[in-house]
Amino acid sequence: MNQSAWLMYIPKSGCLYEFYDPSERKIHSLELPELRGCRVCYTKQGWLLLYRRRNRLVFFFNPFTRETINLPSYELAYEIMAFSCAPTSTNCVVFSIKHVHPTVVVISTCHPAGASEWTIVNHRNRLPFVSSIWDKPVFCSGLFYYLSLTSWLGVYDPVRRYWKVLAMPPPRCPEHFFVKNWWKGKFMTEHNGDLLVVYTSQNKNPIIYKLYRSELAWKEMESLRSVTIFASFLTSLSGANLLGIMRNSVYFSKFRFFGKRCISYSFDDYRYYPRKQQYDWGEQPSFENIWIEPPHHALSSI
């Protein structure tokens, strides 16, 4: 992605959705009655994955083209879901996970291309693994990765249908990380095949870790270089070579100044924008917004 993601606001009532473009600091609005009564679960490549509990309907929706792709009905206990690529691709896989015991997880998968039902399998772990609604799976280089509540990394191969919790230490948490609402302070995404995790802790500077697969180790990054991370509870995205100050930064789904500016951290300047803000994620409603990738012609559809 070489353009800025937009932050999509999920209204508590009504069908008017607002999209904030941080590169232009502008808000665009769309009426989306198709989403009435739905929970937004995930987003990727401009598509939303949604769940309507009333009729157990799981479906994809593209707010820019108004396309809808339905999946087989499925009762979700927790909306811990992700998908591998746009549902228009025959390679798309939908992935859902929850733990039923520290040593057992239930993994559900579905292929939008012609699927008539979900595949649901219990998998045993050699290491304890507790899922959390605050963490979302990430698809990277053919595998789904998922951080547990305490940051152990699980890996699922959708082709082999194989699950494993990696026997490697979690990323080293920043000082004062384990305080109030600590479980809300980490965000995982991928960029060009690299798995990245952002850790935040109140008003401390965020820390970025990168997974080195060959060494089975997390290593701290001093810089994102040309990369930008867009972090939110429901989905975190990445982009490259964006304009100006947006490079080498993390953009969070929190706002100041009456919603006209989102909080970001620049690794070039070693500071937050705006300054002197408190970052208690417990104050942030977790499911009120989500980053989404707009198409290049997005403005023509609004």
Side-chain angles (χ1 to χ4, degrees), residues 92-207:
C92 180
V93 182
V94 183
F95 171 86
S96 176
I97 184 172
K98 67 174 180 177
H99 78 277
V100 293
H101 185 273
T103 59
V104 180
V105 297
V106 178
I107 292 178
S108 305
T109 56
C110 182
H111 295 260
S116 59
E117 61 182 8
W118 289 74
T119 300
I120 304 171
V121 180
N122 286 11
H123 294 266
R124 288 197 167 271
N125 316 314
R126 291 186 177 181
L127 296 169
F129 193 91
V130 177
S131 58
S132 165
I133 62 171
W134 311 111
D135 298 295
K136 297 300 177 183
V138 172
F139 187 77
C140 180
S141 300
L143 304 172
F144 285 99
Y145 291 86
Y146 181 65
L147 280 177
S148 74
L149 181 66
T150 51
S151 296
W152 290 91
L153 187 65
V155 185
Y156 179 73
D157 185 332
V159 175
R160 298 168 55 205
R161 296 182 179 177
Y162 177 73
W163 163 260
K164 182 179 182 180
V165 179
L166 300 182
M168 55 180 275
R172 183 177 57 84
C173 295
E175 187 179 356
H176 307 306
F177 180 73
F178 291 100
V179 294
K180 180 182 177 183
N181 302 307
W182 60 269
W183 56 85
K184 294 184 179 182
K186 63 182 188 291
F187 308 90
M188 186 166 68
T189 188
E190 70 87 28
H191 184 76
N192 287 348
D194 290 327
L195 204 63
L196 308 175
V197 177
V198 181
Y199 276 85
T200 63
S201 178
Q202 293 188 344
N203 60 344
K204 302 295 182 180
N205 293 343
I207 299 176

Side-chain angles (χ1 to χ4, degrees), residues 17 32-41 49-59 61 68 70 73-76 79 81:
Y17 288 75
L32 300 174
E34 298 92 336
L35 306 190
R36 191 185 305 275
C38 293
R39 168 66 67 90
V40 178
C41 300
L49 180 61
L50 302 122
Y51 179 60
R52 183 176 286 126
R53 187 178 299 275
R54 176 172 51 82
N55 54 4
R56 300 190 304 171
L57 179 63
V58 184
F59 67 102
F61 180 74
T68 298
N70 291 324
S73 62
Y74 180 58
E75 186 168 0
L76 287 174
E79 289 90 355
M81 303 185 74

Side-chain angles (χ1 to χ4, degrees), residues 226-267:
S226 63
V227 175
T228 304
I229 292 176
F230 300 92
S232 66
F233 293 111
L234 290 171
T235 301
S236 295
L237 303 174
S238 67
N241 301 315
L242 303 185
L243 296 175
I245 196 174
M246 295 195 73
R247 297 186 185 190
N248 200 21
S249 297
V250 180
Y251 278 74
F252 296 97
S253 57
K254 293 187 71 172
F255 281 80
R256 289 295 184 267
F257 304 131
F258 306 99
K260 295 182 180 179
R261 184 172 180 178
C262 57
I263 292 172
S264 64
Y265 179 84
S266 168
F267 284 89

